[in-house]
Amino acid sequence: MNRYPLWKNLLIIFTIIVAIIYTLPNLYGVTPAIQISTNRQSLVINEATEKTVTEALQKANIAHDGMFFAGGSLKVRVSDANKISARDAIDNALGEGYIVAQNQIADSPEWLEKIGAKPMFLGLDLRGGVHFTMQVDMKAALEKTLDRYAGDVRRQLRSLGIRSGTIRKTADSLVIPFQDAADLQKAYPELQKLLEGATLSTEDNNVTITLPETLLQQIRTDAVKQNITTLHNRVNELGTSEPVIQQAGADRIVVQLPGMTDTAKAKDIIGRTATLEVRMVSMDATQFAQAQAGNVPAGYELLKDKEGHSYLVSKQVELTGDNINSAQAGFEPQTNRPAVNLALDGAGSSIFADLTAANKGKIMAMILIDQGKSEVITAPRINDTITGGRVQITGMQGTAEANDVALLLRAGSLAAPMEIVEERTIGPSLGAENIAKGINSTVWGFVVVAVFMMIYYRLFGVFSTIALACNLLFLFSILSALQATLTLPGIAAMALTLGMAIDANVLINERIRDELREGKKAQVAIKEGYDHAWNTILDSNLTSLIAGAALLIFGSGPVRGFAIVHCLGIITSIYSSVVVSRMMANWWYGRRRKLQHLSIGIRVPAVVDAPETLPSVKE
Amino acid sequence: MELFHFKRDIPFMSYGKLTTAISLITFILAVVFLLTRGLNLSVEFTGGTLMEVEYSQQQGADLNQVRHSLDSLGMGEIQVQALGTNKHIMIRLPNTENLSSAQLSNKVMDILKKERSDVSLRQVEFIGPAVGDELVSNGLTALVVVILGIIAYLAMRFEWRFAISAIIANAHDIVIILGCFAFFQWEFSLTVLAGVLAILGYSVNESVVVFDRIRENFRKGSMRNKSVNEVIDNAITATMGRTVITHGSTEAMVISMLIFGGAALKGFATALTIGIVFGIYSSILVASPLLLMLGLNRSNVVKQESEKEEIVV
């Protein structure tokens, strides 16, 4: 009666072996490595890259422990002490377009990698790093969209030769005044074509463009998406490994940079909202004098450059950083001053060609908007039509600044400014300390429980302890296989779950004792003990699971990290405490026909199990 | 080895009035502390900046000096506190309008570095005010959903009286844990909240085991002539051994966390340590008397069972 069929035993052993395999990578640990990748289509990581890297390391006299290709990137194992100098050496040798990041790679053998067995993914609180939650300013995103619409309308009307008054902007609409009904009639269908999705209405000689809710929603989603892309680019430039950049809620973005040590730099690059805008400068001397006196005409603003020169700049944006394909720091050939060379995309090139053609002899301003402040970087006079989309910006103080500006422009502009609403920095030493403490407390708890169980329940205590160890094994392997993020609260959940998991075995063992006391035969007692305890185990674990699931769904941050491990642990504990421990009890006792005594810590008057079937000789 | 095997049932239910009174008093006290002192909420809830710095030199830092130099920031109330020894220091700064978190933590480090070069940053936590509010509402939602989920499950598996008793016993535990945190002004962080919510599941777990036995006893032939009180007493006595051992082992784990887990796990482990003790107490001496008060009798359970069987057939 206490025998599992062969397939069941094999299945259980199979699950244990799989669990051991997927837990293995955690034992091998990780070593520091430099990861070389690229996000440009034109660049391929190949043997040539490998050669360059090898030479660079040789030149810098840095030893490495092997180099290999993985998922389109090249990884170089280096020692912990060398990782920073190695990174710099490789970065310098490869130049633009490559992302050289410090990383950690698992030391586990290749066959483990092949079946997707990886070490557990540790949260920032365990490995150190920076965490930001950024709030996207949706109001600004909306305004920016309206500005773009206004620019489109202006250009379209200009190209059609229709004159309009100054376009007015309200919270979520644009008002375009026309001189007469005829102009309006002419413009209306064109505007309708131009502004797909927007609602147009007319009143007097005005056209009002309102954005319907669906479009507003679209703008919001797009803003978050664009910001995420931009952040990706910026973070790549920082050279951090395995950055996490994801949307959290409707208007938040979470950025995690594991292992990042230079937090000030991270904040600087990530938190910046630099965009480039090209706008025209007013050439009217009287207007400029008025503006200097504090009377800035409508539609214009007074901006300064680094040297303190003032410019009266139109608020109308001709071109933004969105149209920049690439930005490289370099030098102006004639003067050898630092400069940034821009390459515009197709649309940008044509806008720029039109602009320069229409404004020959006038001055345009390249304005960098960084952290809410607008500054004129350069204000060249347009001498000729510039086609081909190549533009040079000068006016930077030094190479470092040119590099920074290039980085910011290259990384793309943000659809809307963002504000850091949450920030966590965990030093690497603290992370290691947290792991050690978490493991320590789990191990000591485990030892106390195991010793007690074995003393109190004897052999059944041993079964329980092995089941508990299996539970830990299952939990480790599932967490590793799922690559769920393990955090400190996760370790706490692991300890708590282990403490709670023993409950099922206690229930079973107590039940078996009860059955024995009631005078049941040993084999019957084992069977009934497991069967009766099952209902209780199911009920009590399901209620815990309900609580855990609610935490998982509604919790955030540490609560979630706790809940993931807690829920998984409840599930694995049901399996290991019921099925795995029973398999052991079955192995040990199941085949014995004349079973007199169970080693479960109590002595009861022996009821000898009769043979299950009567000997056939008697019949 | 046998520690908790009783020949005769312990008359737990006859102490019902006394235990209910004790529970009521502790409960009221906890509520009073919560109302008068309130919880010492961490920056995660209130918003603000929390920094932990480390001094590498043996003598550690002079807290007063740190406080004094940080006053130059002019940020209002700044808390400076040693974590264990003076080598690790925690600094709590309130949110300010005109300084971003980035600048703030850099500024603080600059000031501290000027005084002593051996200071290094261990961790920074900055939480904007809106985020904190959200966490509070998320936490409360989680709490309500957990409670409703448990009630629904128990009402389905057992009967409404069991669901109500278990949840009241549970709420009692939660309020008492919170009361302890309010009384001692221990910091209430998100991790502590996770612990408190875990206790909710844990404590119900305990009640379920006793309820399970009660239900089983009602069905048993040998219990047919026993009163409801006796049935419950027998159920509690029979599960006593398991109760003590299970909680003993969980408590061993949690105390091990309290001892070895360090500052980061302290709040969590504390909440659980208290929670487990009250979890046992409440499931035995609060939930079960409540069952009686709600008028549980054999027919509630047995009828339920026969209905169930019909459905199965």
Side-chain angles (χ1 to χ4, degrees):
Chain A
M1 81 186 353
N2 287 314
R3 275 186 226 165
Y4 273 161
L6 182 67
W7 67 266
K8 208 166 177 179
N9 281 327
L10 289 178
L11 193 71
I12 296 166
I13 291 167
F14 177 72
T15 55
I16 294 175
I17 291 171
V18 170
I20 290 174
I21 291 172
Y22 278 88
T23 306
L24 270 182
N26 294 297
L27 300 179
Y28 284 102
V30 288
T31 45
I34 306 296
Q35 181 181 328
I36 299 130
S37 54
T38 174
N39 55 359
R40 290 207 194 152
Q41 294 283 319
S42 53
L43 291 175
V44 195
I45 308 276
N46 53 21
E47 279 74 23
T49 326
E50 191 178 344
K51 208 174 145 224
T52 321
V53 171
T54 318
E55 279 165 8
L57 289 176
Q58 259 165 13
K59 218 165 103 192
N61 214 0
I62 298 166
H64 65 88
D65 315 323
M67 223 178 265
F68 61 95
F69 294 97
S73 64
L74 180 67
K75 289 181 180 175
V76 188
R77 285 178 200 270
V78 288
S79 70
D80 207 33
N82 281 339
K83 62 183 182 191
I84 294 167
S85 46
R87 193 197 95 87
D88 292 345
I90 296 170
D91 200 19
N92 284 335
L94 286 174
E96 276 296 331
Y98 291 92
I99 300 159
V100 182
Q102 279 176 50
N103 202 341
Q104 292 200 310
I105 42 177
D107 276 344
S108 36
E110 212 171 310
W111 64 275
L112 280 174
E113 295 263 327
K114 280 211 174 104
I115 56 166
K118 290 179 194 154
M120 274 189 274
F121 189 80
L122 300 182
L124 285 184
D125 53 351
L126 299 181
R127 68 200 299 199
V130 198
H131 168 114
F132 296 110
T133 307
M134 339 225 0
Q135 173 99 41
V136 182
D137 185 348
M138 287 303 174
K139 225 181 115 217
L142 196 62
E143 249 177 54
K144 220 173 153 183
T145 313
L146 285 174
D147 280 342
R148 213 183 59 227
Y149 274 26
D152 289 349
V153 168
R154 239 180 255 122
R155 254 192 304 280
Q156 182 74 358
L157 293 179
R158 204 190 296 150
S159 72
L160 291 169
I162 305 170
R163 297 185 52 171
S164 73
T166 312
I167 300 179
R168 287 195 307 272
K169 209 167 62 177
T170 65
D172 59 350
S173 65
L174 290 175
V175 181
I176 311 163
F178 289 96
Q179 280 179 331
D180 50 42
D183 273 357
L184 191 147
Q185 286 301 327
K186 218 163 93 189
Y188 192 82
E190 296 294 333
L191 290 179
Q192 217 167 17
K193 237 189 292 172
L194 182 71
L195 305 168
E196 219 180 317
T199 318
L200 270 65
S201 62
T202 52
E203 194 186 337
D204 299 332
N205 286 335
N206 297 343
V207 174
T208 306
I209 300 163
T210 354
L211 306 181
E213 187 48 45
T214 48
L215 198 62
L216 292 176
Q217 195 53 48
Q218 186 65 41
I219 292 168
R220 286 187 204 116
T221 356
D222 286 351
V224 174
K225 264 194 211 147
Q226 192 193 327
N227 279 10
I228 288 179
T229 315
T230 308
L231 282 173
H232 262 294
N233 291 331
R234 291 184 182 179
V235 167
N236 278 340
E237 302 279 352
L238 277 170
T240 348
S241 60
E242 302 169 58
V244 174
I245 300 165
Q246 54 193 197
Q247 187 168 355
D251 54 0
R252 293 220 176 113
I253 299 171
V254 165
V255 178
Q256 293 192 336
L257 308 173
M260 183 81 202
T261 41
D262 192 353
T263 51
K265 175 88 178 163
K267 276 183 254 182
D268 220 30
I269 296 294
I270 284 172
R272 264 160 101 166
T273 53
T275 53
L276 185 80
E277 283 178 0
V278 177
R279 302 195 220 155
M280 295 310 298
V281 175
S282 164
M283 305 296 286
D284 191 328
T286 27
Q287 253 187 352
F288 184 70
Q290 269 178 5
Q292 286 279 41
N295 187 16
V296 182
Y300 286 89
E301 62 184 321
L302 206 54
L303 296 178
K304 285 186 174 157
D305 69 7
K306 258 206 188 72
E307 273 102 51
H309 299 303
S310 295
Y311 299 88
L312 186 61
V313 185
S314 162
K315 278 188 174 173
Q316 183 180 328
V317 179
E318 307 290 347
L319 186 72
T320 69
D322 296 354
N323 294 101
I324 294 172
N325 251 355
S326 77
Q328 309 275 335
F331 293 94
E332 203 183 4
Q334 291 97 3
T335 57
N336 212 25
R337 279 186 309 180
V340 174
N341 298 310
L342 301 180
L344 301 175
D345 63 7
S349 302
S350 72
I351 294 173
F352 201 70
D354 286 353
L355 182 74
T356 44
N359 293 294
K360 257 183 216 161
K362 290 184 185 166
I363 292 175
M364 69 177 172
M366 302 240 179
I367 298 157
L368 188 73
I369 301 160
D370 191 3
Q371 289 175 317
K373 277 186 215 128
S374 307
E375 185 186 64
V376 175
I377 300 178
T378 177
R381 187 179 292 272
I382 301 168
N383 295 325
D384 213 343
T385 308
I386 301 174
T387 52
R390 302 222 144 262
V391 185
Q392 190 169 56
I393 318 177
T394 52
M396 262 67 61
Q397 296 283 359
T399 341
E401 200 196 332
N403 267 323
D404 258 12
V405 171
L407 164 58
L408 286 166
L409 294 176
R410 186 163 64 233
S413 63
L414 294 166
M418 286 185 294
E419 184 195 3
I420 297 179
V421 290
E422 190 186 1
E423 180 206 323
R424 284 200 176 91
T425 308
I426 297 112
S429 65
L430 185 65
E433 216 175 285
N434 280 344
I435 296 182
K437 281 181 174 161
I439 291 177
N440 240 340
S441 47
T442 313
V443 167
W444 281 111
F446 187 93
V447 168
V448 171
V449 173
V451 167
F452 174 80
M453 289 300 279
M454 288 190 278
I455 293 173
Y456 195 75
Y457 290 115
R458 302 294 168 89
L459 187 58
F460 272 86
V462 176
F463 297 157
S464 309
T465 304
I466 295 173
L468 194 62
C470 282
N471 184 25
L472 194 59
L473 183 72
F474 288 130
L475 198 52
F476 257 73
S477 63
I478 290 177
L479 286 172
S480 308
L482 290 181
Q483 288 285 294
T485 311
L486 184 72
T487 56
L488 190 64
I491 295 184
M494 211 180 266
L496 176 70
T497 311
L498 281 183
M500 287 171 73
I502 205 68
D503 177 48
N505 284 112
V506 173
L507 277 169
I508 293 166
N509 297 345
E510 285 295 321
R511 267 306 171 133
I512 297 176
R513 282 181 170 189
D514 280 352
E515 304 294 335
L516 289 174
R517 285 189 199 111
E518 279 175 27
K520 299 262 172 69
K521 291 168 188 166
Q523 293 287 10
V524 179
I526 295 178
K527 184 183 184 316
E528 305 253 294
Y530 273 96
D531 289 351
H532 279 154
W534 169 242
N535 263 332
T536 316
I537 292 170
L538 197 65
D539 274 334
S540 65
N541 279 300
L542 278 178
T543 40
S544 297
L545 203 57
I546 290 174
L551 288 190
L552 193 60
I553 297 165
F554 298 98
S556 52
V559 176
R560 226 186 151 87
F562 172 85
I564 291 172
V565 180
H566 191 49
C567 287
L568 288 174
I570 291 169
I571 295 165
T572 55
S573 81
I574 297 178
Y575 178 75
S576 50
S577 57
V578 177
V579 181
V580 177
S581 83
R582 177 130 198 215
M583 179 179 74
M584 285 180 285
N586 284 359
W587 276 351
W588 199 269
Y589 290 115
R591 286 176 196 283
R592 298 195 217 169
R593 288 186 174 182
K594 290 187 179 176
L595 187 56
Q596 294 197 359
H597 175 70
L598 294 181
S599 171
I600 195 164
I602 58 163
R603 287 237 158 242
V604 286
V607 181
V608 182
D609 273 5
E612 275 171 37
T613 47
L614 289 170
S616 53
V617 215
K618 277 195 171 176
E619 283 182 14
Chain B
M1 192 162 83
E2 267 180 293
L3 289 176
F4 310 98
H5 185 232
F6 306 97
K7 284 264 154 35
R8 221 176 284 157
D9 293 345
I10 305 166
F12 289 104
M13 289 307 101
S14 59
Y15 311 135
K17 282 223 172 71
L18 180 71
T19 55
T20 317
I22 293 173
S23 292
L24 215 60
I25 291 168
T26 37
F27 184 86
I28 290 168
L29 273 178
V31 172
V32 168
F33 290 136
L34 272 173
L35 291 179
T36 53
R37 293 176 177 231
L39 288 171
N40 174 17
L41 293 171
S42 72
V43 276
E44 286 156 327
F45 295 106
T46 57
T49 304
L50 184 85
M51 295 176 67
E52 200 187 317
V53 295
E54 181 176 7
Y55 286 85
S56 58
Q57 276 168 29
Q58 206 51 48
Q59 77 267 28
D62 180 354
L63 290 192
N64 282 323
Q65 199 190 338
V66 171
R67 240 174 244 132
H68 185 76
S69 24
L70 289 182
D71 275 345
S72 66
L73 280 171
M75 285 195 53
E77 200 198 345
I78 297 178
Q79 285 179 35
V80 178
Q81 195 186 327
L83 288 172
T85 63
N86 277 7
K87 291 184 82 176
H88 290 167
I89 287 183
M90 209 172 76
I91 302 162
R92 258 175 97 156
L93 306 137
N95 271 326
T96 43
E97 284 287 319
N98 43 19
L99 261 181
S100 81
S101 69
Q103 296 161 329
L104 184 62
S105 56
N106 290 347
K107 247 187 183 153
V108 169
M109 282 315 286
D110 284 348
I111 292 175
L112 294 181
K113 277 238 167 78
K114 225 181 269 168
E115 302 270 339
R116 289 270 300 270
S117 56
D118 64 324
V119 66
S120 62
L121 188 66
R122 264 160 78 87
Q123 63 171 330
V124 181
E125 213 177 311
F126 157 79
I127 313 280
V131 179
D133 290 347
E134 258 175 44
L135 286 178
V136 173
S137 67
N138 276 350
L140 287 178
T141 317
L143 193 72
V144 171
V145 171
V146 170
I147 290 175
L148 291 179
I150 289 170
I151 292 182
Y153 182 80
L154 290 181
M156 209 172 65
R157 281 284 288 182
F158 293 89
E159 207 232 343
W160 67 267
R161 289 179 183 83
F162 289 92
I164 299 295
S165 311
I167 220 66
I168 292 176
N170 243 302
H172 156 269
D173 300 344
I174 301 294
V175 171
I176 286 172
I177 299 175
L178 294 181
C180 284
F181 271 81
F183 181 76
F184 294 105
Q185 287 291 300
W186 291 324
E187 187 174 68
F188 192 84
S189 67
L190 260 187
T191 323
V192 176
L193 179 70
V196 169
L197 290 166
I199 280 294
L200 206 50
Y202 184 84
S203 170
V204 172
N205 194 323
E206 180 56 36
S207 306
V208 167
V209 173
V210 178
F211 288 173
D212 220 59
R213 244 335 148 95
I214 295 175
R215 180 172 61 180
E216 195 183 315
N217 276 353
F218 275 125
R219 278 185 283 160
K220 249 189 212 162
S222 58
M223 289 271 158
R224 188 142 294 166
N225 301 319
K226 299 276 171 65
S227 72
V228 180
N229 277 21
E230 286 168 316
V231 166
I232 295 179
D233 283 342
N234 175 273
I236 297 175
T237 311
T239 50
M240 219 28 210
R242 174 257 159 205
T243 305
V244 176
I245 294 163
T246 297
H247 295 296
S249 63
T250 318
E251 195 71 82
M253 277 288 184
V254 173
I255 288 176
S256 150
M257 232 189 285
L258 199 60
I259 297 171
F260 300 107
L265 287 178
K266 198 174 167 218
F268 178 80
T270 313
L272 286 176
T273 309
I274 304 166
I276 290 169
V277 173
F278 277 95
I280 312 176
Y281 166 81
S282 72
S283 48
I284 294 174
L285 295 169
V286 179
S288 302
L290 274 171
L291 275 179
L292 278 179
M293 282 174 213
L294 289 172
L296 179 81
N297 60 45
R298 193 179 310 267
S299 62
N300 301 142
V301 179
V302 177
K303 198 180 84 205
Q304 175 96 358
E305 283 303 307
S306 59
E307 266 172 21
K308 248 193 195 158
E309 271 157 32
E310 274 164 31
I311 296 164
V312 174
V313 172

